Amino acid sequence: KVGTCADFAMVLAAVACARSARVLRNALLIKGRIGHVVEKVRAANTGATAPGHQQYCLQLVRNRDYEGFLSSLLLPPEFHSSVFALRAFNVELAQVQDLVTQKTIGLMRMQYWKQMIEDIYNDNPPPQPIAIELWKAVKKHKLTKRWFLRIIDEREKNLNENAYRNIKELESYAENAQSSLIYLVLEVLGVKNIHADHAASHIGKAQGIVTCLRATPYHCRRRNVYLPLDICLLHGVSQEDFIRGKREKNLRDVVFDVASQAHVHLEHARSFCKNVPSKACPAFLQTVVLDDYLDRIRKVDFDVFHPSLQKTNTMLPFYLYIRSWRKIY
């Protein structure tokens, strides 16, 4: 019996050692992979690998769209310059509304970008960093001109600063402004797949809705409210209620309804996952950011003004990497 107990103890010790070795090996593997991502971020932050115009686009995205910057780093390196050019273009258009004080000036800026796209497709890009990098991307990947113009046109309409009349209007804006950008990223990745396009459409709509929610505190400080009017009326909420920063249940009900629509679009996008090629998944990494925000706003009972929602999740790079490694969205 003593011998049997001793043998059993030795077996347990051997199993424990094997498990420890596996855990250590997996930890080292993860540490090595995460370390590789960290080195990418450090190199990008210092501009060590991106000369001239590429560095300009990269730094602009890093400063103004950090989540997009992180997700773009996880794309295969050969696509970095093209995707950062697309994101820099999107950043420039998105910030027009915040930078101009008169609508006329905003319209002039949009016309400038329209003309720039025309010049790019005529092989005559102006001497501007984003224009030159976009021209390279267009030539290399045969990007569709229509998607660029849809983004500009939708951003131009948004200069009116009117609230969306209903959720369909918000979804239409998101389809044109956000989904169009994802279509371009898919073209950069060389993905031509109807299921990937359907997923991109729903992810873009979800992103537009979540962006509207995330920006609500900022817009309210500027006395602007863009949440759909039909949902506000349904719950007896006025725009002034949001501007005053009220946090009553009926305001949270409005936020819940809007957030739920974003969640529905994410679920629809994932319903295509079995038919979406794996090389399309890097274009959909923004779903990590959307999931994170929707989860956090749920935890604060859909209080869109809760201070925790204005903080960046420090675990986001890790979540992005894991989703990228697993090739899922």
Side-chain angles (χ1 to χ4, degrees):
K1 289 182 179 178
V2 173
T4 303
C5 290
D7 292 342
F8 184 62
M10 290 177 65
V11 171
L12 285 179
V15 171
C17 288
R19 285 179 177 171
S20 298
R22 281 200 304 272
V23 170
L24 178 60
R25 185 185 69 229
N26 292 338
L28 289 173
L29 283 172
I30 291 174
K31 182 179 179 182
R33 288 165 180 154
I34 296 298
H36 179 62
V37 175
V38 170
E39 287 303 316
K40 276 188 176 182
V41 174
R42 285 176 180 166
N45 286 346
T46 59
T49 60
H53 302 139
Q54 291 180 33
Q55 182 180 346
Y56 177 89
C57 294
L58 185 148
Q59 292 296 339
L60 178 62
V61 175
R62 174 179 174 269
N63 294 335
R64 302 292 298 181
D65 179 18
Y66 191 67
E67 293 159 351
F69 165 77
L70 289 176
S71 61
S72 298
L73 284 178
L74 292 168
L75 269 66
E78 62 268 24
F79 302 125
H80 282 179
S81 60
S82 297
V83 172
F84 278 120
L86 292 175
R87 291 201 175 278
F89 164 76
N90 190 56
V91 166
E92 283 283 358
L93 292 177
Q95 64 185 6
V96 167
Q97 187 172 14
D98 294 331
L99 294 179
V100 301
T101 55
Q102 298 179 5
K103 181 182 174 181
T104 305
I105 298 175
L107 292 173
M108 291 172 63
R109 291 293 299 169
M110 294 301 178
Q111 184 58 43
Y112 166 80
W113 285 103
K114 284 182 183 178
Q115 186 59 51
M116 180 181 290
I117 295 300
E118 294 293 340
D119 292 340
I120 286 171
Y121 277 87
N122 289 326
D123 282 336
N124 185 32
Q128 199 266 6
I130 298 176
I132 292 173
E133 288 302 304
L134 281 180
W135 175 70
K136 291 179 183 177
V138 168
K139 297 290 286 183
K140 183 177 180 180
H141 305 289
K142 311 299 182 187
L143 301 181
T144 303
K145 179 180 177 182
R146 179 173 75 257
W147 303 135
F148 288 106
L149 296 179
R150 269 180 58 169
I151 295 172
I152 298 172
D153 288 342
E154 200 61 37
R155 295 288 187 182
E156 184 178 300
K157 288 182 201 172
N158 215 38
L159 292 174
N160 292 324
E161 296 190 337
N162 294 326
Y164 301 104
R165 289 177 296 180
N166 49 57
I167 194 70
K168 294 298 181 185
E169 272 196 4
L170 175 53
E171 289 173 337
S172 176
Y173 163 78
E175 164 69 25
N176 292 327
Q178 303 290 350
S179 300
S180 296
L181 179 64
I182 304 177
Y183 298 148
L184 287 167
V185 175
L186 287 174
E187 290 186 348
V188 168
L189 296 176
V191 176
K192 293 183 179 179
N193 180 278
I194 188 67
H195 302 291
D197 290 342
H198 285 318
S201 175
H202 286 291
I203 291 169
K205 288 174 182 176
Q207 186 168 352
I209 293 170
V210 168
T211 300
C212 183
L213 286 173
R214 292 178 70 177
T216 293
Y218 168 77
H219 289 145
C220 287
R221 289 195 295 271
R222 301 182 62 175
R223 300 193 63 80
N224 291 317
V225 179
Y226 296 105
L227 295 172
L229 290 175
D230 62 336
I231 297 179
C232 291
L233 291 173
L234 178 66
H235 296 286
V237 176
S238 68
Q239 290 187 332
E240 192 64 29
D241 291 332
F242 276 103
I243 291 172
R244 291 177 181 176
K246 291 184 177 181
R247 301 163 89 166
E248 279 79 5
K249 184 181 182 302
N250 56 343
L251 276 80
R252 287 185 277 115
D253 288 340
V254 170
V255 175
F256 170 79
D257 285 355
V258 177
S260 296
Q261 194 64 22
H263 177 74
V264 166
H265 281 297
L266 287 177
E267 291 302 302
H268 281 167
R270 288 176 177 131
S271 70
F272 299 102
C273 66
K274 292 182 179 179
N275 299 308
V276 171
S278 60
K279 69 175 183 177
C281 293
F284 302 153
L285 283 176
Q286 284 293 102
T287 56
V288 177
V289 180
L290 307 182
D291 286 333
D292 176 67
Y293 180 82
L294 292 174
D295 183 57
R296 287 193 292 145
I297 200 170
R298 177 184 59 80
K299 289 179 179 177
V300 297
D301 197 22
F302 299 96
D303 178 6
V304 76
F305 297 107
H306 198 281
S308 66
L309 298 176
Q310 304 305 313
K311 298 177 182 178
T312 302
N313 186 349
T314 56
M315 291 296 292
L316 195 58
F318 178 75
Y319 296 149
L320 281 165
Y321 174 76
I322 292 299
R323 198 76 67 90
S324 171
W325 179 49
R326 295 179 63 192
K327 297 189 186 315
I328 59 174
Y329 62 91

